[in-house]
Amino acid sequence: MDPLRQLLEDALVERSFCEPLARYGRLLLEANRRMNLTGAESPDELLPHLLDSLSIAPLVRDSLVDVGSGGGLPAIPLAIATGVPVTMIESTGKKAAFLRAVLDELGLVGRVVAHRAETAGREDDLRERFASGTARAVSSASAVAELLLPFIAIGGTAILQRGRLEPRERNALSDAAPMLGGMVEQEIAQDGDRRVVVVRKREATPSRFPRRIGVPEKRPLCW
């Protein structure tokens, strides 16, 4: 049996998900030798990333947008586990091409938009069109919220996967969310210091957001 599939089964992942997840993992690790897609270099190292992605599947609603998709985490595992259409925002051409190839290889419903989130978030067919959204960006939580919330429909949710969440960052997100049309609804503790923060979209995001390319990361709201 494929080593990654065996690891997934040993981790008690739903059996019907194990084969497509293992196929995705093989594609990711192979492509990672040619471009920087993930820090994982083996099935054992990749497994925690897959499990981390699957952990937020119960929060995902139809349809899903993923900002800064990179190698497809968490978007591809979530598409496999939930069956919802996924739109991945990834500005790097080689990474976007890899994501399109994965969608085709696995027969998943989705699309890849090869633009920066600051640009894509202003496009009529993407702005406020999604019931749920994710982003694994390493930026501050309020910067991630600024990039993600313009895509979320009113009533939908932005799902922010974070590491250690310091009080200053938590407070900045709580203050920034209403400026973007949202409200922090829930903070879920995971293993160690990891947190998942759910931001509910309550009203339309003002047209001035997101700000120009690079500004949300350089000057996070309320920081």
Side-chain angles (χ1 to χ4, degrees):
M1 180 181 292
D2 176 86
L4 185 53
R5 178 170 179 173
Q6 185 64 63
L7 289 168
L8 289 162
E9 291 190 3
D10 291 346
L12 303 181
V13 171
E14 169 66 41
R15 291 184 67 89
S16 63
F17 304 156
C18 290
E19 176 54 29
L21 286 169
R23 288 172 61 194
Y24 163 60
R26 291 193 296 271
L27 293 169
L28 179 59
L29 291 174
E30 173 62 30
N32 199 48
R33 297 171 185 161
R34 304 187 302 274
M35 65 184 102
N36 182 27
L37 295 172
T38 174
E41 297 181 352
S42 68
D44 291 283
E45 293 178 354
L46 183 57
L47 178 66
H49 296 280
L50 296 174
L51 298 179
D52 184 57
S53 299
L54 294 173
S55 71
I56 60 172
L59 300 172
V60 170
R61 299 291 180 268
D62 187 1
S63 57
L64 172 68
V65 64
D66 182 62
V67 170
S69 296
L73 296 165
I76 297 297
L78 289 174
I80 291 170
T82 66
V84 305
V86 59
T87 295
M88 292 177 281
I89 313 297
E90 175 49 57
S91 62
T92 303
K94 289 183 178 180
K95 294 179 181 179
F98 167 75
L99 294 172
R100 292 189 183 101
V102 170
L103 291 176
D104 289 343
E105 177 73 18
L106 299 183
L108 299 173
V109 178
R111 64 184 288 205
V112 181
V113 178
H115 296 304
R116 287 284 297 254
E118 295 95 328
T119 301
R122 294 185 172 277
E123 296 180 8
D124 289 342
D125 64 332
L126 296 171
R127 191 174 180 91
E128 299 187 329
R129 299 288 184 177
F130 300 92
S132 54
T134 55
R136 279 187 113 201
V138 295
S139 305
S140 71
S142 58
V144 174
E146 181 176 350
L147 296 175
L148 187 52
L149 277 168
F151 293 99
I152 306 301
I154 295 173
T157 53
I159 307 161
L160 280 61
Q161 290 182 280
R162 310 298 301 170
R164 184 179 179 87
L165 198 61
E166 300 289 350
R168 181 186 181 193
E169 185 175 11
R170 181 181 289 109
N171 292 338
L173 177 60
S174 294
D175 291 341
M179 298 172 61
L180 300 164
M183 178 189 69
V184 175
E185 182 176 80
Q186 188 178 13
E187 181 177 325
I188 304 167
Q190 293 189 313
D191 293 340
D193 292 328
R194 294 191 62 76
R195 297 287 186 273
V196 174
V197 183
V198 179
V199 180
R200 177 75 61 180
K201 185 75 170 280
R202 303 183 69 184
E203 58 189 20
T205 299
S207 60
R208 67 181 182 275
F209 297 116
R211 290 170 291 169
R212 297 188 310 276
I213 289 175
V215 175
E217 293 176 286
K218 292 177 182 176
R219 298 204 300 273
L221 294 171
C222 304
W223 190 252

